[in-house]
Amino acid sequence: MDIGTFSALAEPNRLRIVELLAHGPLTVGEIAERLNLRQPQASKHLRVLLDARLVTVHADANRRNYALQMEPLQEMDAWLNNYRRMWNERFDNLDQYLQELQSKPEQ
Amino acid sequence: MDIGTFSALAEPNRLRIVELLAHGPLTVGEIAERLNLRQPQASKHLRVLLDARLVTVHADANRRNYALQMEPLQEMDAWLNNYRRMWNERFDNLDQYLQELQSKPEQ
DNA sequence: GAGGAATATTCTTGTCAAGGAATATTTAAA
DNA sequence: TTTAAATATTCCTTGACAAGAATATTCCTC
């Protein structure tokens, strides 16, 4: 698991940027406006997200379109696989417990 | 999505602690030993993980057993749900494209 | 080509987090 | 009851990072 992904997302504005871009690419100005950020801060946060490969840029003349990149999130997903097993186990245990309750409901 | 989870995991030693605890609870000393940390640093990192609710402690006389807590990871998992749709879409598109290639292989 | 829009970068400053060293606290053992 | 083990906490210093302000860069339009 690349820690850079966590670092990048561990900042409120950057997490909001990612969530914004989930609905489609946006320019710096649009992002700054919707998140009430000043343009330089938006650019700087996007730079961090870019370095973490969470977004890509496409220059369109004056504008720059930033788009979400899925790979780091897929890596997070894969990392979580190691733990899904566990909370499923726990759920299974609860499930098993409830079924045992079912089979002997009185006392 | 609680940003505290990302912050807590955005530190190499803490991520390794979490991965260690995936195999079962450990004491501070065991964690410090396996990760080549000094005891105070181990305690401090565990404190951060505790505040982020990523671990729980159980005092056993002198020792303290730290155990992994799944809830924050489940929350991450739920957050990722918003994005899984997208990378599946992309995969579907690729799949569709490949199938189109299949159906007209020669030009 | 001058001016303005969109964006990136630099510099500075304040805040926060991490490691090291030392110390406090609790508990077991002798 | 003194001693040692296991752990937590404090203080200090240092480095990273975020916001603000200013400035540079690129491109479009007139």
Side-chain angles (χ1 to χ4, degrees):
Chain A
M1 179 64 208
D2 179 18
I3 267 186
T5 307
F6 287 141
S7 306
L9 297 176
E11 205 279 335
N13 294 309
R14 286 199 291 267
L15 184 62
R16 293 169 71 198
I17 290 179
V18 165
E19 292 174 340
L20 249 190
L21 293 181
H23 305 114
L26 291 175
T27 69
V28 178
E30 291 168 330
I31 294 170
E33 186 192 0
R34 304 200 191 183
L35 299 187
N36 280 315
L37 295 177
R38 304 175 194 276
Q39 175 268 317
Q41 332 302 337
S43 281
K44 283 187 268 190
H45 284 307
L46 285 165
R47 174 82 158 132
V48 175
L49 292 173
L50 195 62
D51 291 344
R53 303 175 195 284
L54 275 160
V55 299
T56 52
V57 219
H58 270 69
D60 173 22
N62 229 0
R63 318 280 178 88
R64 307 239 168 156
N65 283 286
Y66 282 86
L68 196 55
Q69 205 67 15
M70 293 292 143
E71 282 77 1
L73 301 180
Q74 286 177 287
E75 194 197 0
M76 268 187 49
D77 190 57
W79 181 76
L80 280 177
N81 267 329
N82 307 321
Y83 304 91
R84 277 197 202 95
R85 220 177 304 124
M86 305 186 200
W87 70 65
N88 285 335
E89 272 175 26
R90 296 198 183 178
F91 181 73
D92 288 350
N93 288 345
L94 174 62
D95 192 51
Q96 185 177 345
Y97 170 69
L98 291 178
Q99 286 191 3
E100 284 171 8
L101 274 192
Q102 281 283 26
S103 56
K104 22 183 171 174
E106 39 273 317
Q107 227 236 21
Chain B
M1 178 66 208
D2 180 17
I3 266 186
T5 307
F6 287 140
S7 307
L9 297 176
E11 206 279 334
N13 294 310
R14 285 198 293 265
L15 185 62
R16 292 169 71 200
I17 291 179
V18 165
E19 291 174 340
L20 250 190
L21 293 181
H23 306 115
L26 291 174
T27 68
V28 178
E30 292 168 326
I31 294 171
E33 186 191 0
R34 305 201 189 182
L35 298 187
N36 280 315
L37 294 177
R38 305 174 193 276
Q39 175 268 317
Q41 332 302 334
S43 281
K44 283 189 265 190
H45 283 308
L46 286 164
R47 174 81 159 132
V48 175
L49 292 173
L50 196 61
D51 289 345
R53 303 177 196 282
L54 274 160
V55 300
T56 52
V57 219
H58 269 70
D60 173 23
N62 228 0
R63 319 279 178 90
R64 308 241 167 153
N65 284 287
Y66 282 86
L68 196 55
Q69 206 66 13
M70 293 291 144
E71 282 76 2
L73 301 180
Q74 287 177 288
E75 193 197 3
M76 268 189 48
D77 190 56
W79 181 76
L80 280 177
N81 268 328
N82 307 322
Y83 304 91
R84 277 197 203 95
R85 222 178 306 122
M86 305 186 200
W87 71 64
N88 286 335
E89 271 175 25
R90 296 196 182 180
F91 182 72
D92 288 350
N93 289 344
L94 175 61
D95 192 50
Q96 185 178 346
Y97 170 69
L98 291 177
Q99 287 192 2
E100 285 171 7
L101 274 192
Q102 281 282 25
S103 54
K104 23 183 171 174
E106 38 273 316
Q107 231 243 18

